[in-house]
Amino acid sequence: MEAEPRIIEKREKASREDWLLATLDVLRERGIEGVKVVAIARRLGLTSGSFYWHFRNLKDLLDSVLLFWEDALTGHIIEDALQFQGPPEERIRHLMNQVIREDASRPDGAIAVWAKSDTDAAQCYRRAMKRRFEFSAWLFEELDFAPPDAEIRGRMMVMTLMGETTNNLHLQEDWPDVIDRHWRVLVDK
Amino acid sequence: MEAEPRIIEKREKASREDWLLATLDVLRERGIEGVKVVAIARRLGLTSGSFYWHFRNLKDLLDSVLLFWEDALTGHIIEDALQFQGPPEERIRHLMNQVIREDASRPDGAIAVWAKSDTDAAQCYRRAMKRRFEFSAWLFEELDFAPPDAEIRGRMMVMTLMGETTNNLHLQEDWPDVIDRHWRVLVDK
DNA sequence: TATTCTCCGTAGACATCTCTACGGTAGGTC
DNA sequence: GACCTACCGTAGAGATGTCTACGGAGAATA
């Protein structure tokens, strides 16, 4: 049984970014094949006529979505962690909590599936994952784990967070506790 | 740029199970919204006329896919681990390798996305995850981890494997080494 | 040989989706 | 007040998808 496609919002003028954010929602909930102009328009309370004012076509939108995901949604987690003031293990915990806190808007799972049948998405996905792995390894090196160990612990943190995101951990009321216990295993020497 | 939808196989009579397996492939590669009668038929070298002999409609097929995934693809990993003869930590390693070895046919990521917009898929997904968590916790209890610790390590193993599956680890030539290093962190006291 | 069962193709009604063409409206500008 | 810009709706062509109706082929059976 399919869930209802969400209430239509009040009719207002939408910017290109409004369309982009609405697309991220649809992408997260229905997957790439569910990203249809009419579906996004319905969510915004608009019609396809508006869409084609902001975007050349559907591919134009999808390209923008990929770039936005890679730059903003991956990058700002890293920048946030870099600006964190405190001991290395607390920075890791901060990052893990940050990811889950944003879970509701992360389309990572849908993009991973998308990458299985689209070469552009696959390239973007690989770049983003490489960046995550390298940064995560660095985080654990700062904790004085030797490079090979830091690398696998960083990778395991990324995978655990992706798994929990896919799993909708943020809907579980005790998610901070779950994250805390993941964290303890990862930073334990 | 979308990848080509795969070469059509030789025309032959197909069983209900053939349709089911082909559907799993499409589901894994394109997501639930990409599961279309014509798309699966094209993959089998058949037409929709054949489909409606085996299934009442598309929902009939999707229900079967969910059951098959939950029973066969989740259950047989567990049964395989239960029959494993050897020390507890080797059983865990065996299971982890088994999951990645079957990566190419696992639609877990697509089903997780599916579960975000479909209540039937969500129920099935939750049942399967519960079963995985409980079994994985038991695996680590057998390794003499205290229940709360065994629980989080089991959960982390499931999440790591789901992440690596989503990430197509099996396409990486050094995947046994990656799994081995994950394993070492998880079973380390 | 005649019949039956199993499986499949084709044609077509109907729905949904992409994209173009074009007309309309509201707010700011000269 | 006339004009312009930004944004949106509608109508419709063409593609794609679901599902029904029906007819046909091949293997098994009588």
Side-chain angles (χ1 to χ4, degrees), chain B residues 3-38:
Chain B
E4 75 291 346
R6 173 81 63 89
I7 283 85
I8 292 173
E9 299 175 7
K10 62 184 181 302
R11 254 206 62 199
E12 266 186 14
K13 288 204 174 186
S15 67
R16 188 179 162 102
E17 193 183 340
D18 290 333
W19 281 93
L20 220 119
L21 294 177
T23 304
L24 281 176
D25 284 344
V26 177
L27 176 60
R28 195 179 57 82
E29 292 170 17
R30 321 294 277 213
I32 181 59
E33 300 272 353
V35 175
K36 290 164 185 163
V37 174
V38 282

Side-chain angles (χ1 to χ4, degrees), chain B residues 169-185:
Chain B
L169 175 62
H170 69 289
L171 295 181
Q172 209 171 312
E173 70 288 343
D174 65 337
W175 71 258
D177 178 55
V178 174
I179 286 300
D180 210 67
R181 292 160 70 203
H182 278 311
W183 173 74
R184 277 179 211 284
V185 175

Side-chain angles (χ1 to χ4, degrees), chain A residues 99-164:
Chain A
V99 170
I100 301 301
R101 202 170 290 124
E102 294 181 1
D103 242 18
S105 64
R106 297 202 73 82
D108 296 38
I111 288 181
V113 175
W114 183 8
K116 289 183 194 286
S117 69
D118 184 292
T119 54
D120 290 340
Q123 283 188 358
C124 178
Y125 176 79
R126 268 195 296 270
R127 275 198 307 269
M129 290 305 286
K130 186 165 185 291
R131 196 167 159 206
R132 294 179 188 191
F133 288 152
E134 288 175 355
F135 181 72
S136 301
W138 176 80
L139 285 177
F140 282 89
E141 283 175 22
E142 291 292 300
L143 243 183
D144 284 332
F145 283 101
D149 199 16
E151 191 190 335
I152 196 64
R153 282 174 192 263
R155 186 179 179 109
M156 192 178 294
M157 180 186 75
V158 172
M159 288 307 173
T160 300
L161 288 174
M162 278 193 67
E164 293 288 7

Side-chain angles (χ1 to χ4, degrees), chain A residues 2 20 27 37 39 52 62 66 74 78 82 113 122 127 130 133 167 187 189:
Chain A
E2 283 200 6
L20 221 119
L27 176 60
V37 174
Y52 288 97
L62 296 181
L66 275 182
T74 297
I78 291 180
L82 281 174
V113 175
R127 275 198 307 269
K130 186 165 185 291
F133 288 152
N167 203 42
V187 302
K189 281 186 183 151

Side-chain angles (χ1 to χ4, degrees), chain B residues 28-129:
Chain B
R28 195 179 57 82
E29 292 170 17
R30 321 294 277 213
I32 181 59
E33 300 272 353
V35 175
K36 290 164 185 163
V37 174
V38 282
I40 313 168
R42 193 167 41 234
R43 198 167 289 231
L44 289 170
L46 300 173
T47 64
S48 63
S50 167
F51 174 84
Y52 288 97
W53 197 91
H54 295 284
F55 299 90
R56 282 183 22 253
N57 49 33
L58 189 53
K59 175 156 178 35
D60 182 19
L61 169 67
L62 296 181
D63 289 343
S64 302
V65 164
L66 276 183
L67 289 181
F68 182 81
W69 174 74
E70 183 178 356
D71 287 347
L73 293 185
T74 297
H76 100 275
I77 289 279
I78 290 180
E79 287 160 19
D80 186 75
L82 281 174
Q83 287 180 349
F84 180 84
Q85 303 290 335
E89 66 265 28
E90 288 304 320
R91 175 157 56 190
I92 290 173
R93 172 150 58 176
H94 175 76
L95 182 147
M96 295 179 76
N97 277 280
Q98 199 67 17
V99 170
I100 301 302
R101 203 170 290 124
E102 295 181 2
D103 242 18
S105 64
R106 298 201 71 83
D108 298 36
I111 288 182
V113 174
W114 183 6
K116 288 181 194 287
S117 69
D118 183 291
T119 54
D120 291 339
Q123 283 188 357
C124 178
Y125 176 80
R126 268 195 297 269
R127 276 197 307 269
M129 292 305 287

